Amino acid sequence: MDRRALHAALVEARIPGGYYRIEGVHEPVPTPPDFLFVRRGADGGWETGAFERGTYEVLARHPDEAAACAHLLSLLV
């Protein structure tokens, strides 16, 4: 699963768009006060985590986009 497929799955599952941010695919405006995210990590891997109180907290690091997307999907569905 890539980021676009993840977004499609979340839309199909009727998860509100303000609950998550998918780098380069779904970035809600205005930025919600808290949400879950998937993004590229500084080391070239991928990260999933939570944005709360103005701070990004990485919950897990993943070797590839597919693993990160699967993790975010499992957190939201």
Side-chain angles (χ1 to χ4, degrees), residues 47-66:
E47 300 172 336
T48 51
F51 178 83
E52 295 178 302
R53 299 182 182 149
T55 303
Y56 284 93
E57 179 183 344
V58 174
L59 300 173
R61 298 183 196 287
H62 308 276
D64 56 43
E65 181 179 1

Side-chain angles (χ1 to χ4, degrees), residues 14-21 26 28 32 34-37 72 76:
R14 299 183 188 263
I15 306 299
Y19 287 12
Y20 58 91
R21 180 180 183 275
H26 176 77
D34 52 82
F35 54 87
L36 296 176
F37 67 84
L72 186 64
L76 288 164

Side-chain angles (χ1 to χ4, degrees), residues 4-54:
R4 285 170 182 61
L6 168 62
H7 185 240
L10 292 172
V11 168
E12 185 175 319
R14 299 183 188 263
I15 306 299
Y19 287 12
Y20 58 91
R21 180 180 183 275
I22 303 170
E23 182 180 79
V25 174
H26 176 77
E27 299 178 11
V29 175
T31 302
D34 52 82
F35 54 87
L36 296 176
F37 67 84
V38 61
R39 67 182 183 192
R40 292 175 207 255
D43 64 356
W46 289 83
E47 300 172 336
T48 51
F51 178 83
E52 295 178 302
R53 299 182 182 149

